[in-house]
Amino acid sequence: MADKTDEQMEKQPEAGKTNGTETVGGDSSGSEDAPGAAQNGSGAVVTPMKKPIWLRVFGHDITAPFLLLLLSLVLFVPGQWTVPPLDRDEPRFTQATKQMLETDDYIDIRFQDQARHKKPVGIYWLQAAAAKLTGHGADAPLWVYRLPSIIGAVLSVLASFWMARAFIGPAGALLVSGFVALAIIVGVEARLAKTDAMLFATIIVAQGALARIWLKETKERAWGLAFLFWTALAASVLIKGPVGLMVVGLTVVGLMVLRRKVAWFMAASPIIGFIWFVLLVSPWFVAIWIATDGTFFTEAIGKDLLGKVGQGQEGHGAPPLTHLGAMLGVFWPLPAFFLIALPMIWRERKSPLVVFAFAWFFPSWIVFELVATKLPHYTMPLLPALALPVAAALMEGASAQGRRWTGWAAAILLAVPIVGIAAGAFAGPFVLGTWPSPPGAILVAIGAVCAVAAATRLLRGPALYAVLPVAASAMFVAVGVWGFVGPALNPFWVSPRLVEALDEIPGCANSDTRQVVTSGFHEPSFIFLEGTGTQIISPKGAAEFLLASDRENGMSCRVAAIESREEEAFLASAKEIGLVPVVRKRVDGLNINGGDDVDIALFQNAGSGTETKDGNDKQQ
C-alpha cells in the first residue's frame, strides 16, 4: 500500500489485508494518483480513484494539522464574544468558577451559597486559569470562561487526526478529523463554558494511545503511550467523573472480547499506570472529601449520576434509541456519508480499523441508550468511532451509485438539516417578533446552497468529492448562525437585556454598588451577569428588601426584578407593609429554557434616592 500508517510500516506488507482484499484501513485505492488498475479479492478490476486536489495538497502529516487548525478556528470562533450565556448549564459553571476566583477557594464548588456537587473540579480550574492568565480575574467576560472549551474542541480535532493515523494514512486521517470538526454538536460545545469539549479531547487522546498499544499486539511495555493513556484518563475523570472511564474502559473490554486476547493490554503497564492515575486524581478527591465531610460524593454519585441513570433529570428523559435518532442531526454531516460507506465497512468488518471502531462505539452507545436522561451531547465521545471507518471507506472510493435509495437517503440527510437551519434563520426572527440579521440570513442561505450542491455531488459519486462543498456549507453556516443570527435574536437574551435595563436606571449605573433581588426569574445567566450578590427571593422578601432602602434614607440603589407571575403577590405584600413600589423598566422576552414568555418589571421604592440630583449626575 502506498499510503501506510506508522503502525503498518512496522509490519509485513500484507498486514493491511484481510482474506485477500484490501481493508478499509489501508487507504490504498485513494492513495495513488497514477493511472492503472488492480484486482480485488474476487478478481474484479478496480481502477484507483483519483484524490481531489485539496486532499492531494493537504493530505500529509505536515500540512494536514495546519488545515485542521484553520478549519477549526473558522468553525468555532464566531459567536465566542457575541453570544450571551446559554442557560442553564453554562452560567452555572461560569458562576461557580467566578466564585472560586472571588473567594480563592479552589476546592469546594459553589453556586452562590449552594454547594454544586455534581461534577469534579477540572473544568473550573481550567476556567479559573484562563481568567487569571488573561489578566481579568473574577470580572472576566464570558468569552474568557469559554476559552477551555474552544481549546478543547480544537484539541479534539487535532487528536482525532493523530488517533486515525494509527490505522490509515494522513489523507484518510484528515477526513476523520474533518468530520469531527464539521459536526454540529462539536461546534455547539466549543461555545459553551462547560465540561464536554475538553472531556472529548481527553477521550480521543486516550483512545489514540490505546489504538497504538492494541495494534502492537505485544506484552512489551510501551511506556510513552501508557503514560499518555493513563494521564488522559485521569484528566477525563477530573473533568467529568466516570464518563471517560466508561467509554475507554468499554473499548478495552470490547477489544478483548472481539479478538479473544487480553495479553496485549500489558503493554499499557496497567499496574504502574493505575497507580499513576490514582496519584493524579486523588489529591482533589481527598481534599473535597475533607472539605465537605463526604457530602460531595453523596450528591455527585448518589443523586446526580444515579439520578440520571434511573430517571430523566430536569425534563430530559427519553426512551431508548433516542440518541440514535439525534445523531442523524447533531453528527451532521457524518450520517450521510456513513450510509454510503456502510456496505464497504461491513465487507471489511474484520479489519483492525473496523474492529476498533466497533469496540469504541457499540458498547458505550448501548449504555447511553439505557440511561434515562438523554441530552444530545452525551454521545459526542462516540463521533470519531463512526468517522474512522467512514473516512477509510471514502478513501477506498465508496459511492452511492448502484444503490439508488441509499444515495437519495444520504442526500436528504446531507441537505435537509442545513436547509432547515437556513429557513429558521430567516423565518425564526419573525416568529419571535424581530427582524432577521441580513448578513446572517445571507451567509446561512449560501451554506444551504453548498449543502444542496454537496448532496447532488454525493449522488454522482464518488462520495469523497462531496466533502469539500460540505465543508464550505459548514463554514458559512457557522459564521452566519453564531456570528450574526444568534446574537440578533434579542427576545431570547433576557438576562443581558435585564442587566442593560438596570444600567439605565438613574443612580444605578454602577453594578458594583447596586443591590438586586429577583423573584420569578431565576436563570443562572442573570446571576452570572449581574453578580454573585444577586439574591433569588420570594415576592414578600422582595418587598421587604425595597422597604429597607427607605430606612437607609434612600442612599442605595436597590432594585427588585419581579416576573409577571409573581407581580400580584409582590404588590400585595408591598401594600401590606406600606411600601409604594414604582416600575423603572420592563423587560420581556422568551425564556430559552422551556420557551415560556417572560415579562419582568424592575421595581424600586418610590421614595428611593436614585432619582436625586447626585444620582442623575452620576448616571450621566
Side-chain angles (χ1 to χ4, degrees):
M1 293 180 292
D3 194 9
K4 297 180 185 293
T5 69
D6 297 334
E7 296 297 332
Q8 290 167 336
M9 290 292 288
E10 298 175 1
K11 298 185 178 183
Q12 66 271 26
E14 297 299 315
K17 297 186 178 182
T18 303
N19 298 331
T21 62
E22 294 286 352
T23 70
V24 294
D27 220 14
S28 57
S29 63
S31 64
E32 296 288 354
D33 295 328
Q39 287 188 336
N40 62 15
S42 61
V45 176
V46 179
T47 302
M49 183 190 66
K50 188 175 183 179
K51 292 180 187 176
I53 294 176
W54 66 269
L55 197 55
R56 279 180 276 163
V57 173
F58 293 104
H60 305 282
D61 284 320
I62 296 177
T63 53
F66 287 101
L67 177 63
L68 291 170
L69 179 60
L70 178 62
L71 176 65
S72 298
L73 293 177
V74 173
L75 291 171
F76 303 152
V77 168
Q80 293 285 347
W81 289 268
T82 55
V83 174
L86 294 169
D87 286 305
R88 294 184 171 100
D89 276 352
E90 182 183 34
R92 285 170 178 164
F93 279 99
T94 56
Q95 177 61 29
T97 303
K98 183 178 183 179
Q99 290 180 216
M100 280 187 172
L101 293 164
E102 291 172 339
T103 62
D104 286 328
D105 181 354
Y106 297 95
I107 300 300
D108 200 6
I109 306 166
R110 307 192 73 81
F111 182 91
Q112 292 192 301
D113 59 350
Q114 297 179 353
R116 182 163 167 77
H117 295 160
K118 292 179 178 292
K119 302 292 186 296
V121 77
I123 197 64
Y124 303 101
W125 282 351
L126 291 173
Q127 291 177 355
K132 285 183 174 291
L133 291 173
T134 55
H136 288 90
D139 295 327
L142 180 60
W143 67 266
V144 172
Y145 292 94
R146 286 172 170 169
L147 282 177
S149 291
I150 188 173
I151 292 172
V154 173
L155 287 177
S156 298
V157 173
L158 297 176
S160 296
F161 178 82
W162 175 74
M163 178 275 300
R165 283 293 283 118
F167 297 96
I168 53 181
L174 177 60
L175 283 180
V176 174
S177 48
F179 280 129
V180 170
L182 297 173
I184 290 175
I185 190 62
V186 178
V188 171
E189 294 301 326
R191 293 172 172 86
L192 297 180
K194 57 192 191 74
T195 57
D196 295 281
M198 191 59 74
L199 171 72
F200 191 32
T202 63
I203 290 175
I204 297 173
V205 170
Q207 296 288 59
L210 177 65
R212 285 165 170 79
I213 291 170
W214 177 64
L215 288 171
K216 287 181 180 295
E217 295 184 347
T218 177
K219 295 181 182 180
E220 182 180 352
R221 299 296 190 270
W223 293 109
L225 291 172
F227 172 80
L228 195 59
F229 174 78
W230 291 105
T231 302
L233 267 187
S236 74
V237 170
L238 284 173
I239 289 171
K240 201 172 182 178
V243 176
L245 271 179
M246 182 200 77
V247 174
V248 178
L250 288 177
T251 304
V252 172
V253 173
L255 292 172
M256 291 177 175
V257 171
L258 291 172
R259 286 298 170 89
R260 297 180 179 86
K261 294 179 181 178
V262 298
W264 61 267
F265 193 62
M266 295 302 295
S269 189
I271 297 176
I272 296 177
F274 181 73
I275 293 173
W276 172 243
F277 168 86
V278 172
L279 288 174
L280 290 176
V281 302
S282 59
W284 178 79
F285 281 106
V286 171
I288 194 63
W289 179 282
I290 295 172
T292 65
D293 197 23
T295 304
F296 174 86
F297 297 92
T298 304
E299 296 286 333
I301 298 175
K303 292 186 178 180
D304 186 59
L305 179 61
L306 296 182
K308 289 179 178 177
V309 172
Q311 57 186 2
Q313 286 190 344
E314 298 183 356
H316 297 309
L321 300 183
T322 297
H323 279 306
L324 186 62
M327 285 182 211
L328 298 178
V330 299
F331 281 9
W332 183 96
L334 185 60
F337 292 94
F338 179 79
L339 273 183
I340 301 299
L342 186 57
M344 187 175 291
I345 295 172
W346 177 252
R347 287 198 301 269
E348 302 296 344
R349 60 189 176 277
K350 294 182 180 180
S351 69
L353 182 151
V354 177
V355 169
F356 186 83
F358 182 87
W360 181 347
F361 179 86
F362 196 75
S364 294
W365 170 65
I366 293 295
V367 172
F368 285 131
E369 292 288 8
L370 293 177
V371 170
T373 302
K374 291 181 174 64
L375 288 169
H377 63 268
Y378 281 7
T379 56
M380 190 168 69
L382 309 184
L383 173 62
L386 287 181
L388 184 60
V390 170
L394 294 184
M395 294 300 299
E396 295 290 335
S399 174
Q401 293 175 338
R403 297 181 299 275
R404 188 172 181 82
W405 72 269
T406 303
W408 278 103
I412 290 172
L413 283 176
L414 202 58
V416 168
I418 304 304
V419 172
I421 291 174
F426 181 79
F430 288 111
V431 175
L432 295 174
T434 187
W435 290 94
S437 164
I442 292 171
L443 287 170
V444 178
I446 295 173
V449 172
C450 292
V452 172
T456 304
R457 191 66 184 85
L458 193 70
L459 291 172
R460 297 204 309 267
L464 180 60
Y465 282 81
V467 172
L468 184 59
V470 162
S473 173
M475 287 187 284
F476 277 113
V477 170
V479 175
V481 169
W482 294 104
F484 297 97
V485 174
L489 294 176
N490 287 326
F492 274 145
W493 313 127
V494 177
S495 293
R497 292 192 293 116
L498 201 54
V499 173
E500 290 175 2
L502 285 166
D503 291 338
E504 294 170 1
I505 295 176
C508 293
N510 190 343
S511 60
D512 293 330
T513 58
R514 69 184 176 223
Q515 301 174 62
V516 179
V517 298
T518 177
S519 182
F521 184 72
H522 304 158
E523 294 303 331
S525 58
F526 182 53
I527 307 299
F528 171 73
L529 293 173
E530 177 56 26
T532 304
T534 308
Q535 300 179 49
I536 298 173
I537 201 168
S538 67
K540 181 179 180 180
E544 294 171 347
F545 167 81
L546 290 184
L547 186 63
S549 65
D550 186 51
R551 292 196 293 267
E552 294 180 4
N553 298 319
M555 296 305 294
S556 65
C557 168
R558 291 194 170 210
V559 183
I562 310 297
E563 209 280 323
S564 59
R565 295 172 182 82
E566 302 288 351
E567 197 166 334
E568 184 177 350
F570 167 78
L571 293 175
S573 297
K575 183 177 181 180
E576 183 179 335
I577 63 175
L579 171 72
V580 181
V582 59
V583 176
R584 303 298 189 197
K585 298 281 183 178
R586 295 198 81 97
V587 175
D588 59 10
L590 189 68
N591 193 337
I592 199 170
N593 292 290
D596 296 327
D597 291 322
V598 292
D599 180 12
I600 304 165
L602 297 180
F603 283 97
Q604 282 190 303
N605 186 343
S608 170
T610 59
E611 290 188 2
T612 64
K613 183 179 185 298
D614 290 341
N616 284 323
D617 288 345
K618 185 176 182 181
Q619 173 72 16
Q620 293 169 1

